[in-house]
Amino acid sequence: MILKKFIRDILIIGILIAFIVLAQENLDSYTLSILKNIAIFAILALSYNLINGVAGQFSLEPNGFVAIGAYFTAILLIPPETKMDMFALVDPNPIVANAHMSFLPAIIIGGIAASLVALLLSFPVFRVRGDYLAIVTLGFGFIIRIFAINNPEFTNGAMGLNDIPEVANFTWIGIIAIITFVVMIHIVYSKFGRAMKSVRDDEDAATAMGINTFKMKTYAFMTSAFFEGIGGGLLASMLTTITPDQFSFLLTFQLLIIIVLGGLGSMSGTILATILVMGGMEMLRFLDEDITLFGHDFGAHPGLRMVVFSILLLLMMLFARKGLFGDKEIFDIIKRDKE
């Protein structure tokens, strides 16, 4: 049974990787940009769901960790001679000016940097719970953004970083998205995942059962931050330019919509919700352009796309109040239906 499940999983992963490679070679740039955007947001939403859905900690910090990963990766990818021409307000810090690495080490260091910040942040953050935790982590996102604006020797200030090498193609992004999903699923079904869920369901009872709740929350926080940092690095390389305004609370709000729609604690639901949210926003883009029906020109209505999209989200949430998959995985739903 275990061997059969292992072969099935390897086969599915192989098919997904083959699709990613073929898509990179055969699809047009516009379609690839949509797929890359979906894959990056899948990485971010999966990691965010670990701390928010699985561990049950109402955190609003993703934009801060994404920004850390994006800036670290961008600084390490941009050649030193390009940085000297780019930093117009002040000369770059010598460490920033001379730092240069290839793509894979750069995004890993971005993830590690975000994870270490999460470790330091966990000591004050997890002294509070609930709404207070949300307020503290929300403030962290603002602090990172203000730091990026007010320290131009590290980040080039409000002007941001440009000419970032576009190394993150769909092959890189897609494979990292698959790795993220596999890691998150293994965490959910591991003893650590069960401990995190017990903290989510009743922290006091988990403590009484001998679970170190602070340690479990910190593990979830650091793991989530690591993959959010990697997602930020991929985003920076895909866009080739970053500014502090890109990492506002709107980014966190988009991820919150995705994980709530997919189901708090459900990783497979998060993947489906990411496709619906990010793909749906592109599919409805025609609503912002000139609309002609039955020979009558209704003109262009900028913003109509978001109105229709919001109504569709509202309807979905009315009929699926716990999200598309609740807190279950698609494997559990299929197994239940077979029984």
Side-chain angles (χ1 to χ4, degrees), residues 198-210:
S198 69
V199 174
R200 175 193 66 189
D201 295 337
D202 193 326
E203 187 169 343
D204 294 328
T207 302
M209 293 297 294

Side-chain angles (χ1 to χ4, degrees), residues 117-277:
V117 172
L119 175 61
L120 295 175
L121 195 63
S122 63
F123 291 98
V125 161
F126 293 130
R127 292 174 63 88
V128 295
R129 301 184 190 180
D131 297 338
Y132 300 101
L133 175 65
I135 293 170
V136 172
T137 52
L138 176 64
F140 166 72
F142 284 111
I143 290 171
I144 294 297
R145 184 165 169 267
I146 292 170
F147 177 88
I149 294 173
N150 293 335
N151 290 271
E153 68 273 18
F154 294 103
T155 63
N156 202 25
M159 297 177 66
L161 299 173
N162 306 310
D163 299 324
I164 304 169
E166 191 177 358
V167 185
N169 56 21
F170 184 52
T171 302
W172 271 113
I173 298 171
I175 290 175
I176 292 174
I178 291 173
I179 292 172
T180 305
F181 179 73
V182 171
V183 170
M184 294 302 168
I185 283 292
H186 277 79
I187 290 175
V188 167
Y189 286 107
S190 70
K191 65 177 182 179
F192 294 105
R194 291 190 292 271
M196 290 174 190
K197 289 179 182 178
S198 69
V199 174
R200 175 193 66 189
D201 295 337
D202 193 326
E203 187 169 343
D204 294 328
T207 302
M209 293 297 294
I211 295 174
N212 189 328
T213 57
F214 174 76
K215 185 183 291 186
M216 288 299 107
K217 290 188 285 187
T218 302
Y219 285 162
F221 203 41
M222 291 180 65
T223 306
S224 177
F226 175 77
F227 283 100
E228 285 167 358
I230 285 188
L234 294 172
L235 187 65
S237 181
M238 183 188 77
L239 297 176
T240 71
T241 180
I242 56 172
T243 63
D245 289 339
Q246 290 173 297
F247 306 106
S248 65
F249 178 68
L250 179 61
L251 176 60
T252 296
F253 187 63
Q254 285 180 295
L255 297 175
L256 192 59
I257 290 173
I258 291 171
I259 66 172
V260 171
L261 177 62
L264 291 173
S266 173
M267 297 301 169
S268 44
T270 298
I271 294 292
L272 178 59
T274 306
I275 295 171
L276 291 175
V277 172

